[in-house]
Amino acid sequence: MSESKLAGQFFDAAIALLQQVRDEDAESIAAAGALIADTVADGGRLFAFGAGHSSLAAQDIVYRAGGLALMNLLAVPGVVGVDVMPATLGSALERVDGLASAVLDTSPVRSGDLLVIISLSGRNALPVEMAMNARALGVKVIGVTSVAYATETKSRHSSGSYLKDHCDLVLDSKIAVGDAEITVDTVPAPFAPASTVITTALLQAVMATAAGTLADRGIEPPLLRSGNVDGGHEWNGRVFDEYGDRIFYRR
């Protein structure tokens, strides 16, 4: 199989998944956008968390040109991306009981806030406990996960539950178990993951919905502009001044 054909196959798979989540998650996306708008309007703060590669989608909605300035990254040392050495340590930390509680106890997250938790499998202890403990604090939780994992894998949390079981809203990425879109006879393992593409698109759709919902209510959405356009830094400075008590990535 030619390289160009494989590239096209991946694009086709990603486009098909994007169309699927656009159509099948439409109501959930609208509800998630409304929930974020509610939180902003009510004076709450916004946070996003993901472990490993799921953190990429969380980081994409934090301090983002064209995004909501109030979205903060809830970082767990050692699991944000693959910068920890060895990288396999991050995977091990996702399975540690009690880590989520320690993180939330030392974070600025409080009742009335909203937390987006991203976990492709939703089966590890960290995202499950993060959702459980956040809701116990009075925090709204939006989970972004592949619901298929709950029927095709075994939970690694002592409760036997998954991230999807502890959320106010769930966005289903529709990613198949294993996160690999291409299989060919000459390659011994499936390859070409699409979860980052789909999850990032899902969350940007939610952010767009939230901004539009705020505007419809007569509230100017606190959006950031690119620092690489004229006036961008000045615009962002005004947003930071107005909402500084709800922005934690500048401290």
Side-chain angles (χ1 to χ4, degrees):
M1 180 174 288
S2 69
E3 292 84 351
S4 60
K5 187 173 182 179
L6 288 174
Q9 187 174 336
F10 176 78
F11 281 120
D12 288 344
I15 290 168
L17 282 165
L18 287 170
Q19 291 174 330
Q20 185 180 5
V21 298
R22 180 195 63 189
D23 298 338
E24 297 180 9
D25 285 2
E27 290 186 7
S28 297
I29 290 169
L35 189 55
I36 288 174
D38 291 343
T39 304
V40 172
D42 293 341
R45 292 88 60 82
L46 307 174
F47 296 87
F49 164 76
H53 287 93
S54 290
S55 180
L56 296 175
Q59 293 178 57
D60 192 62
I61 56 173
V62 175
Y63 186 47
R64 191 71 162 87
L68 292 175
L70 305 192
M71 185 62 73
N72 302 277
L73 185 68
L74 182 63
V76 179
V79 304
V80 182
V82 292
D83 57 335
V84 63
M85 295 297 175
T88 49
L89 175 61
S91 298
L93 289 173
E94 288 186 64
R95 305 177 190 180
V96 174
D97 292 335
L99 181 56
S101 178
V103 169
L104 284 171
D105 288 347
T106 56
S107 78
V109 178
R110 67 188 184 192
S111 179
D113 292 345
L114 181 143
L115 174 60
V116 178
I117 300 178
I118 305 155
S119 173
L120 176 60
S121 72
R123 68 190 294 227
N124 289 312
L126 183 54
V128 172
E129 289 185 359
M130 189 74 77
M132 294 173 66
N133 293 347
R135 294 183 83 193
L137 291 173
V139 175
K140 295 293 186 183
V141 174
I142 296 174
V144 188
T145 188
S146 171
V147 173
Y149 276 82
T151 58
E152 299 181 39
T153 68
K154 183 179 179 180
S155 171
R156 290 181 175 139
H157 187 253
S158 57
S159 67
S161 62
Y162 296 77
L163 169 62
K164 74 174 186 64
D165 299 317
H166 306 284
C167 300
D168 295 278
L169 280 169
V170 175
L171 299 172
D172 184 2
S173 64
K174 318 294 184 182
I175 299 294
V177 173
D179 192 15
E181 296 299 324
I182 299 177
T183 302
V184 296
D185 293 339
T186 55
V187 180
F191 55 100
S195 60
T196 303
V197 174
I198 306 306
T199 303
T200 299
L202 260 175
L203 285 174
Q204 290 298 350
V206 170
M207 296 299 109
T209 302
T213 302
L214 285 167
D216 288 343
R217 297 178 184 178
I219 302 171
E220 181 181 339
L223 296 169
L224 294 174
R225 300 193 69 179
S226 172
N228 295 312
V229 301
D230 292 342
H233 287 299
E234 291 76 15
W235 172 283
N236 293 341
R238 290 191 294 271
V239 174
F240 292 151
D241 288 342
E242 182 173 356
Y243 292 96
D245 61 332
R246 292 195 259 175
I247 297 172
F248 299 94
Y249 50 79
R250 299 181 69 235
R251 302 179 184 179

